[in-house]
Amino acid sequence: MKWAGLIVYLLGIALSIVRPPLDRLACIDMTTGQVMTGINPFFLVLELGLIMVGALFLALNHEFKNYHERNGWLAVSTGLGFAFVGGYSKIYELLLFGIALATLGIIVYKIGRVKHGGG
């Protein structure tokens, strides 16, 4: 199950590289002459869902000392995946959300380690 989680996680990231969740729209910005883009919600949800499920499968196969460590690890791994998808696709809101989620996950993980004397 550990390898399945890793494969699903990496599949979500690979899908965001092969097929970013941005679509070209049939309109042009008249001031800049650039083609407008929009977010394809199906691919965005698919990629983020694969990342979340993969991180969950990986967490189920690891022995954590308490739920703080587990939840922190899930937040870090999911946040890093979200940040990668957002950064690569130039969806800056998703990039910032992923960074914030990973940062919060590090804090929660450290709280879990301190509570049980893990350093």
Side-chain angles (χ1 to χ4, degrees), residues 13-20 47 88:
I13 291 178
L15 183 61
S16 72
I17 293 172
V18 173
R19 176 67 171 89
E47 292 162 3
Y88 188 81

Side-chain angles (χ1 to χ4, degrees), residues 32-81:
T32 63
Q34 293 180 342
V35 176
M36 302 295 286
T37 59
I39 297 174
N40 186 335
F42 174 75
F43 281 105
L44 182 63
V45 169
L46 178 66
E47 292 162 3
L48 298 181
L50 287 172
I51 289 171
M52 287 190 298
V53 169
L56 183 62
F57 282 168
L58 286 171
L60 290 176
N61 289 319
H62 192 275
E63 293 293 325
F64 294 104
K65 294 179 182 172
N66 57 25
Y67 65 92
H68 289 293
E69 283 188 6
R70 183 194 64 223
N71 292 342
W73 190 88
L74 278 171
V76 169
S77 60
T78 305
L80 289 177

